[in-house]
Amino acid sequence: MKKTVGKVLLTVGISAVLVVAISSASFGSDISKNQSQNPQGQNAAESVSEPAYIIGIYKGYVAVYKYGIDKPVKITDVPVSTLTQGDTLILAKGIRVADEDELNKRLEDYVD
């Protein structure tokens, strides 16, 4: 009888811990979703106007693309192979840049 009660208590305890863990995880994701939305319910990224440029990679070099154009408007002399793995991953996704001033500031990060 004591073994059965012990097993039941253990099962109830484990179940309670799982419920708390699952509830905490889903509650946390709801908070992060709400923080990334503006009052109209749009994602923060969607509410920003289209960027003027995208900094990315072209044939192994840091390159600048005009937003919406597949051919780069500028190819730097900075090989991607000299950058950190993190920078390379960011460039592979593309860095959205609002205007030419921001573009110049961002490019300075990659030039020695």
Side-chain angles (χ1 to χ4, degrees), residues 6-73:
K7 287 181 180 180
V8 169
L9 289 176
L10 180 62
T11 303
V12 169
I14 291 172
S15 298
V17 169
L18 288 173
V19 167
V20 169
I22 292 169
S23 297
S24 296
S26 71
F27 181 72
S29 69
D30 288 343
I31 289 174
S32 65
K33 284 180 189 174
N34 289 335
Q35 288 176 344
S36 67
Q37 292 184 347
N38 63 23
Q40 289 79 27
Q42 296 172 320
N43 288 335
E46 292 173 357
S47 65
V48 176
S49 63
E50 291 180 349
Y53 301 97
I54 303 289
I55 303 173
I57 300 171
Y58 181 77
K59 294 187 178 182
Y61 289 87
V62 176
V64 177
Y65 296 83
K66 189 87 170 148
Y67 183 75
I69 309 294
D70 291 337
K71 186 177 178 184
V73 294

